[in-house]
Amino acid sequence: MKKSSLAFLAGAIVVVGGGVWTMTHHGIEPTGGNKLNGNGPQGPTTVSVIAPKRQDVPVVLQANGTVTPISTVDLHPQTTSTIAKVHIKEGQFVKSGELMFTLDDRTERANLDKAQAQVERDRAALADYERQYKRSMDLLAQKFIAQGAVDTLKSQVDSARAVLQADIAAVRGANVDASYTAIRAPMTGRVGAINVYPGSLVQMTTLLTSVTQLDPITVAFTLPETALAGLMAAQREGAVPVQVTLDNSTLAVNGKLSFIDNTVDPVAGVIRVKAQFDNRDTSLWPGQYVNTKLISHVLKDATVIPQNAIISNTRGTFIYAVDKDQSAKVVNIKRLYAFGDNAAVSGLNGDEQVIVDGKQNLRPGGKVRIASADKPADIKVDSSKQKG
C-alpha cells in the first residue's frame, strides 16, 4: 500500500515538472532589435531635426527705467523782503521769463534813485572841470597862466571823470538789486507747490517753489556692461532709437539715446544711460517707472536655431547633430543672443541637421532615425464598436 502511494506521487511530480518546462520553453519571447529584458542591443532613437537659418538678428535690450526731468530749479529770493504779490498758481505751466513773484521793492527803488542822482551830480561837476580846463588852455597859449595851473585842472578833469564812472557802476548795481524783487521763471516748465503768500517774510534760504522742465524729458536706466561696446558703436553711427511703455498702458513713446555714463559700476556690472523724449502731451511724468527697449546693434547674417535644441551642462554648451552615419554627434556652440524661441549662435557651419526633439534619449555616437515630416497621425479606434 505504501509502495504504490510513493510511486503515484513520483509520477505526478514528473508530469507537473514536464508541464512547467513545456510552458517555459514554449513561452513567447520579444522580437525585433530591442529586447524587454534590456540585454539586447538598443535600436535607433527617433528624432526630429531642423536646419539652421541665416538672418540678421537685432539685439534688443530691455530694462526698467525712471523718468527724470532734464532740469529742476528751486526758486529762492536773493534778498530779504516780503512777498508783495504771487502771480502764479500751483501746478501751472509757465514760460521762460514769466513773472512769478513780486517782492516789496521800495528800498531798492530808493537806492536806485539815489545812485542816479549821484551820477547826475558827478556829470555836472565833470562838465565844469572840462570848461575850466579848456579856458586854461587858451590862457596858456597867450602865456597868461603857468603850465602847472593847467596840469592841475587836467588832473581834476580826470578825477571827476573817474568818479562819474564809479557812480554809473553803482547805478547798475542798484538796478541789479532792484531786479531781485521781480522773480521770473528761469525756464519753461511746471510749477510745484507754492510755500509763500503775499505778506510772507522771505530770506535767501526760503524756498518759494520749484519749476520742473517736462518737455523734453529723459528716462534713466541701467544696462549690463556687456552691451557697452554695441551701444558705443551704434551711437557713433547715428541716433539710437529707444522705446518706452508704461506699466498700465500699451502706449509706446519713442525717443533716442542721449547719454552713456563715463564709468561702469564695478559692483553691479552695469552702466547708466539716459534717453530723451519729446513730451508735449506730458505722457511721461517725473519719477514714473517705465519699461525701456532699444536695439543696440544687429548681428549680420547670424546662424539661428531653436533654443530647445541647445543643451547646457558642466561640459559646456552644445547641440546634437546627425552625422553622416546616422549617429548623434556633439557640436560645441556659443550662444550669442537669445530672442523668443530662437537663439543666434556661433560654432555651426549652417548645413548641419540639428536635433530638436528626442535629444534627451541620446548619447554621443548613438544611432538615430529621423522622424518623417509626413508621418500619418495615429488612428484612434472606438472600443465600444469593437466586436468581442
Side-chain angles (χ1 to χ4, degrees):
M1 183 68 179
K2 292 181 179 179
K3 292 182 179 179
S4 60
S5 298
L6 291 173
F8 175 77
L9 290 173
I13 291 173
V14 171
V15 172
V16 173
V20 172
W21 179 88
T22 302
M23 291 176 65
T24 304
H25 180 73
H26 296 287
I28 299 174
E29 294 182 354
T31 60
N34 293 335
K35 292 191 176 182
L36 298 178
N37 57 14
N39 294 327
Q42 183 178 0
T45 302
T46 302
V47 297
S48 61
V49 297
I50 192 171
K53 296 180 180 179
R54 291 282 188 177
Q55 65 183 72
D56 293 343
V57 178
V59 178
V60 180
L61 303 176
Q62 298 185 3
N64 295 326
T66 305
V67 180
T68 57
I70 293 178
S71 59
T72 297
V73 177
D74 293 334
L75 295 183
H76 295 264
Q78 294 180 269
T79 183
T80 300
S81 184
T82 57
I83 298 292
K85 189 174 181 180
V86 178
H87 302 272
I88 57 172
K89 296 180 180 180
E90 293 179 331
Q92 175 182 337
F93 283 90
V94 294
K95 295 181 179 181
S96 178
E98 184 175 342
L99 183 63
M100 301 178 67
F101 299 93
T102 299
L103 306 182
D104 184 3
D105 62 349
R106 289 174 294 178
T107 301
E108 286 74 11
R109 293 301 173 188
N111 291 335
L112 179 59
D113 292 342
K114 180 180 178 180
Q116 289 176 341
Q118 186 69 32
V119 168
E120 295 301 325
R121 186 186 67 179
D122 292 340
R123 186 172 283 118
L126 175 61
D128 181 57
Y129 283 125
E130 287 177 342
R131 286 191 296 269
Q132 293 183 30
Y133 175 67
K134 185 177 180 179
R135 286 195 297 268
S136 67
M137 291 295 292
D138 294 339
L139 294 175
L140 179 63
Q142 300 175 12
K143 299 183 179 181
F144 288 150
I145 59 174
Q147 182 66 43
V150 175
D151 294 340
T152 300
L153 287 174
K154 180 66 170 59
S155 299
Q156 290 175 345
V157 169
D158 293 340
S159 177
R161 185 176 289 112
V163 170
L164 176 61
Q165 294 298 324
D167 287 340
I168 291 174
V171 169
R172 290 199 296 268
N175 270 317
V176 172
D177 293 338
S179 67
Y180 293 156
T181 61
I183 300 176
R184 301 181 179 274
M187 61 186 179
T188 300
R190 190 174 188 269
V191 177
I194 298 176
N195 303 315
V196 294
Y197 307 93
S200 299
L201 177 65
V202 294
Q203 299 175 343
M204 297 180 67
T205 57
T206 303
L207 175 62
L208 304 179
T209 188
S210 62
V211 179
T212 301
Q213 182 179 352
L214 297 181
D215 182 30
I217 203 167
T218 60
V219 173
F221 54 101
T222 59
L223 293 174
E225 61 177 318
T226 54
L228 179 59
L231 283 178
M232 297 295 293
Q235 196 175 46
R236 285 192 293 267
E237 293 178 359
V240 179
V242 181
Q243 186 181 82
V244 301
T245 54
L246 307 180
D247 290 336
N248 57 352
S249 174
T250 58
L251 177 65
V253 183
N254 297 313
K256 61 181 180 180
L257 192 69
S258 60
F259 167 74
I260 300 176
D261 204 356
N262 56 1
T263 57
V264 174
D265 187 342
V267 177
V270 297
I271 186 167
R272 295 176 59 251
V273 297
K274 289 183 180 180
Q276 183 171 313
F277 300 84
D278 291 331
N279 196 35
R280 295 183 182 89
D281 56 354
T282 64
S283 57
L284 300 177
W285 209 253
Q288 208 171 22
Y289 286 99
V290 295
N291 302 315
T292 66
K293 182 172 67 173
L294 63 90
I295 298 175
S296 65
H297 60 286
V298 178
L299 300 175
K300 297 291 186 180
D301 199 26
T303 304
V304 178
I305 61 174
Q307 288 208 65
N308 60 355
I310 301 175
I311 304 172
S312 297
N313 56 25
T314 56
R315 293 181 297 175
T317 303
F318 60 93
I319 58 101
Y320 279 118
V322 179
D323 208 346
K324 295 179 180 179
D325 59 352
Q326 294 297 301
S327 63
K329 68 174 181 179
V330 174
V331 181
N332 294 316
I333 63 169
K334 181 179 180 182
R335 195 194 312 255
L336 301 178
Y337 174 67
F339 58 101
D341 296 332
N342 299 320
V345 299
S346 62
L348 297 178
N349 296 326
D351 56 355
E352 295 87 353
Q353 289 181 302
V354 179
I355 297 175
V356 179
D357 295 325
K359 63 184 182 299
Q360 65 274 11
N361 300 321
L362 291 178
R363 295 294 183 271
K367 294 297 182 179
V368 298
R369 181 175 61 245
I370 300 176
S372 176
D374 55 354
K375 181 180 179 181
D378 294 337
I379 301 175
K380 296 183 178 180
V381 180
D382 189 353
S383 60
S384 63
K385 297 181 180 180
Q386 290 181 341
K387 296 182 180 180

